[in-house]
Amino acid sequence: MTTNDPLVSTEWLASHINDANVKLLDATFKLPGILPLPKDDYLAAHIPSAVYFDVDAVSDHSDPLPHMFPSAAQFGRDVGALGVSNNDTVVIYDAGGWVAAPRVWWMFLSYGHRDVRILNGGLKKWRAEGRPVQAGEVTAKSATFKATYDERRVRSIKQMIANVASRAEQVIDARATERFEGRAAEPRPGIRSGHIPGALNLPYNNLFDAATGTMKPLDEFKKAFAGADVDTAKPIVTSCGSGVSAAVLTLALYRLGVENTALYDGSWSEWGKADGPAIATGPA
């Protein structure tokens, strides 16, 4: 594909799903403790030919933080085991709540694979249109994937602490306003409530239509970022609870032509730890 828009439609996928070089990944994800487990949802019903991409499995298992970016070598091994090669067009979807598909899309970009797309509306729109699903696990034939990590797309806590002082990059937090302002408890135990000092807040669910599962029009993106006091002409880092829903903001910015943003991988699961850096509460 030659388009720069990361999204593909259900119509496009239906007409290309059997192409040999199109590899479909189901990246359904949920917060800890929510049942049924995302893998069980996948096994119950997924788009035909889709292989399950486990966000928690394709991660750095030596890091106690949730689903942190793995090494390039591990990412290459893991996605190769899912049948993805460097020559493939990768199409990712989730259940339709825009949680993990953008995270996996950003991971592929961060490891050097540009031919990667997201199904607009995900499984929700696919099923609403009466398109086929299948149950059970799809086992792919292993492929070779060579990954090269682009560290410019990801931020560490050390970089984020330095940024609090320099304010060189705007930090946009994708969590719900109640969590951002410190008025609601965090879903992960032992994590403080609040936000990174100086951060702005734009809840990720403001960027898609909950009824259809599709992303909102670009004009509404512009209004949403402007309403959150984000200057899209200046450097941006996205953040959230654990580095997943932040990528929804990353995706929206990318679709507006703001492609050189970064994602704070540890996000609030790292910053909000009891012994973490200083926090702020209240509105941005």
Side-chain angles (χ1 to χ4, degrees):
M1 298 179 66
T2 56
T3 177
N4 287 328
D5 191 340
L7 299 188
V8 295
S9 66
T10 50
E11 291 80 10
W12 183 93
L13 180 59
S15 63
H16 291 277
I17 196 167
N18 294 318
D19 292 2
N21 70 322
V22 171
K23 301 299 170 65
L24 184 61
L25 301 179
D26 183 316
T28 297
F29 172 83
K30 298 177 181 179
L31 286 171
I34 298 179
L35 298 175
L37 295 172
K39 179 66 176 289
D40 292 334
D41 284 343
Y42 164 81
L43 292 173
H46 57 81
I47 299 176
S49 80
V51 178
Y52 184 64
F53 185 106
D54 189 334
V55 171
D56 287 319
V58 186
S59 67
D60 181 358
H61 300 292
S62 69
D63 195 318
L65 291 168
H67 39 257
M68 295 289 282
F69 272 50
S71 67
Q74 182 192 337
F75 186 83
R77 288 194 305 270
D78 289 351
V79 301
L82 299 179
V84 178
S85 78
N86 296 95
N87 298 319
D88 291 325
T89 295
V90 179
V91 179
I92 307 158
Y93 74 89
D94 53 34
W98 290 99
V99 179
R103 161 76 179 201
V104 179
W105 161 78
W106 194 246
M107 290 180 78
F108 271 96
L109 288 180
S110 299
Y111 290 104
H113 191 74
R114 298 196 62 81
D115 194 1
V116 56
R117 301 292 184 269
I118 300 171
L119 178 64
N120 193 14
L123 183 62
K124 182 173 188 174
K125 187 171 189 291
W126 182 270
R127 297 192 76 168
E129 295 170 347
R131 300 185 187 275
V133 295
Q134 68 179 107
E137 187 153 18
V138 173
T139 303
K141 181 180 178 181
S142 294
T144 298
F145 187 96
K146 181 175 175 55
T148 303
Y149 181 57
D150 182 356
E151 63 182 13
R152 296 171 299 177
R153 296 183 184 271
V154 182
R155 293 289 179 269
S156 67
I157 191 169
K158 183 178 179 180
Q159 291 170 307
M160 297 300 290
I161 291 171
N163 188 66
V164 170
S166 71
R167 301 295 169 94
E169 296 178 314
Q170 301 165 97
V171 179
I172 317 175
D173 192 319
R175 291 176 300 153
T177 300
E178 293 80 6
R179 289 172 63 190
F180 176 86
E181 294 183 354
R183 295 185 284 111
E186 285 296 303
R188 291 181 171 83
I191 302 298
R192 297 173 292 169
S193 297
H195 60 265
I196 297 171
L200 304 171
N201 182 219
L202 177 53
Y204 77 96
N205 58 334
N206 290 356
L207 299 175
F208 65 88
D209 185 330
T212 64
T214 57
M215 291 206 93
K216 291 182 177 179
L218 297 185
D219 283 348
E220 293 196 35
F221 287 175
K222 293 176 183 177
K223 292 177 184 177
F225 284 107
D229 293 326
V230 176
D231 185 343
T232 55
K234 296 181 179 179
I236 293 170
V237 178
T238 60
S239 181
C240 60
S242 64
V244 176
S245 60
V248 180
L249 305 186
T250 304
L251 172 63
L253 289 162
Y254 196 99
R255 296 195 68 221
L256 288 173
V258 185
E259 300 181 6
N260 295 319
T261 63
L263 183 145
Y264 175 24
D265 195 18
S267 282
W268 196 248
S269 293
E270 182 173 40
W271 193 283
K273 289 192 299 183
D275 60 349
I279 66 172
T281 57

